[in-house]
Amino acid sequence: MSAGTRLVMLGRQGAGKGTQCVRISRHYVVPHISTGDMLRTAVKAGTEVGLRAKGYMDRGELLPDEVMVAVVDEQINSDLTRRGFVLDGFPRTVPQAEALAGIVEAVGGLDVVIDLDVPVPVVLERLASRRVCVDCGANYSTDKPPKEPWVCDECGGEVVQRADDTPEAIQRRLDLYERETAPLTSWYAERGLLEVVDGLGSEDEVAGRIIAVIDARTAAS
Ligand code: AMP
């Protein structure tokens, strides 16, 4: 079995983070921690965090940093993450990155931060056609639907368009990404952790590039 990895995946909405994080987490046998998936599960279950999150998510706004830091802190400190983790959707702001640095200090810090780079016109096209399973979060698109119309191949759940994949919410999330999350790339570059990976191409090609970058980092450390 390969060594684990402690990885953060950055990239615009629609860059393919979710799809790639699932593959990377299987490859390195580490949990995929997606804050968006965790919040969607909390909304569905009607938990306190979920009730608080719903309005922000439907509007395409970010939840307050302290709420998100508490959610991630609890998850990362669970036993499951001893081999490492793939963080998807967190951090999204510099204060979140600062908090994460404190959370992971005890386990040796992050190995690498990947910026999955896909240009805006391409992500706009992908988001408009994106469909997801309400139960397991598997990703599909109108060009690549499940085998049976809108029934998830993985778990049999219903496959729908996300409530925040409307044109207005998409625009708001992309603007927010440029304003709040894009500055994280220089923040991580200054700390020697950033690797930019081209997110265009087939899923296999992109996964191959990401794994090569992680393995090179691990070999060098
Ligand atoms: P995602 O599936 O990663 O696009 O996340 C969906 C929504 O969940 C976002 O538009 C935010 O409303 C919320 N969210 C997820 N992760 C975070 C985070 N790290 N900070 C603040 N809000 C978040």
Side-chain angles (χ1 to χ4, degrees):
M1 194 191 282
S2 72
T5 185
R6 295 183 300 273
L7 171 93
V8 164
M9 183 78 78
L10 300 177
R12 292 189 179 90
Q13 290 77 7
K17 291 193 298 292
T19 305
Q20 291 300 332
C21 284
V22 168
R23 295 182 65 138
I24 300 304
S25 75
R26 285 186 188 147
H27 184 89
Y28 292 97
V29 199
V30 293
H32 170 206
I33 303 177
S34 157
T35 46
D37 285 351
M38 285 165 74
L39 292 174
R40 279 183 286 278
T41 303
V43 169
K44 236 173 122 188
T47 65
E48 207 183 311
V49 171
L51 292 174
R52 215 171 150 194
K54 188 169 183 335
Y56 289 97
M57 294 175 79
D58 286 348
R59 290 189 299 273
E61 289 169 8
L62 293 182
L63 269 79
D65 288 335
E66 64 277 11
V67 176
M68 296 311 303
V69 169
V71 166
V72 169
D73 193 7
E74 193 183 323
Q75 195 70 25
I76 284 193
N77 282 311
S78 80
D79 252 14
L80 267 178
T81 59
R82 265 174 307 156
R83 281 177 54 79
F85 47 81
V86 174
L87 258 180
D88 169 9
F90 185 96
R92 264 177 154 94
T93 64
V94 170
Q96 289 183 12
E98 284 165 348
L100 178 64
I103 294 169
V104 297
E105 203 181 344
V107 292
L110 297 172
D111 291 322
V112 61
V113 175
I114 291 187
D115 180 18
L116 195 56
D117 187 30
V118 175
V120 172
V122 179
V123 299
L124 281 174
E125 223 170 273
R126 286 189 189 172
L127 289 170
S129 66
R130 173 160 80 176
R131 300 293 182 271
V132 293
C133 171
V134 292
D135 288 334
C136 73
N139 270 288
Y140 299 92
S141 75
T142 48
D143 303 330
K144 219 179 123 196
K147 290 190 199 84
E148 218 181 294
W150 313 115
V151 176
C152 181
D153 293 340
E154 308 278 337
C155 77
E158 192 188 358
V159 175
V160 301
Q161 182 161 34
R162 268 171 52 165
D164 60 355
D165 275 347
T166 60
E168 302 75 37
I170 288 173
Q171 196 52 56
R172 198 164 316 126
R173 279 150 64 220
L174 285 174
D175 290 347
L176 256 179
Y177 187 83
E178 297 309 324
R179 198 167 69 236
E180 303 279 359
T181 310
L184 283 182
T185 53
S186 39
W187 196 88
Y188 279 122
E190 281 160 21
R191 284 153 184 82
L193 285 168
L194 188 77
E195 296 277 2
V196 181
V197 171
D198 179 4
L200 292 178
S202 71
E203 278 178 28
D204 285 347
E205 281 163 356
V206 177
R209 284 177 208 142
I210 296 172
I211 289 167
V213 160
I214 298 172
D215 287 349
R217 282 262 168 178
T218 315
S221 66

